[in-house]
Amino acid sequence: MSEHTRQQQSVLVVHAPQEAIAPITRVMLAKLGYVIVSPEEFDSLDPEIVRRGPELRIVDERNLADVPVDNGSSVPILVLTGRHGVTGADPRIVGAIRRPPGMHELFRVIQQVLEETPRTMPRVPTHIIGRCRRNQEEWRVTILSLSENGCLMRSPEPILLGTRIRLRFNLPPAQTLELDGETAYQLVPDIGVIFNATSPTERAAIAAFVKSALVAL
């Protein structure tokens, strides 16, 4: 059982059809400390939990108008959306993921939103300038955090979720990496990229960089 689960369970309210999140995903997230309930189920919980409010609302973009304004607080919203993602016009929206969400993608974004130290692969903040290529287009991006599995990047160009891209960047002190990836989620206004088919050499280079950066923090 995780440390998070031992300490407490975070309550997440889903404003979406029951089938929007697979039953096995709900079970696995519950084991990791995240209980997913409907608005009706939430209202029947302990009055203190109801008074405090949920830690996160997971909302199908078609149900955004039905989400209540929480008293005295702004509960963050993770939007289930299509390939175009979200604009972040609602200040409560902190991220977006394509529907139907897979367990790993959903867990990754929940971790990034709610946890000070996410329990996925070690990740470090960066400010690495790189180049992103999509088909015949190429432009400059900034890599804001990096792990062996992927990165969070800021792009001046909009990118649809689920888009295959190629990233090229210089990894300090002096190694150039070119990695294939897929845009998997948003942490508004930035884009999360999952790396595909990285070689052992590339993974080792990233792991060494992450370890060195963590020691220096």
Side-chain angles (χ1 to χ4, degrees), residues 10-32:
S10 296
V11 179
L12 317 181
V13 176
V14 176
H15 301 261
Q18 180 72 19
E19 64 273 13
I21 298 178
I24 188 61
T25 296
R26 294 172 184 260
V27 171
M28 292 300 295
L29 287 174
K31 290 181 181 294
L32 292 166

Side-chain angles (χ1 to χ4, degrees), residues 104 107-108 112 119-124 145-152 167 169 179-182 184-185 192-198 202-204 206-207 210:
H104 294 290
F107 176 62
R108 180 181 291 110
Q112 292 294 324
R119 285 170 280 132
T120 53
M121 281 282 185
R123 175 183 296 263
V124 292
S145 67
L146 181 66
S147 76
E148 290 181 52
N149 285 344
C151 68
L152 184 69
L167 275 178
F169 57 93
L179 304 173
D180 291 320
E182 181 176 334
Y185 60 92
V193 177
I194 305 302
F195 297 145
N196 296 326
T198 51
E202 292 165 336
R203 294 181 71 90
I206 296 173
V210 169

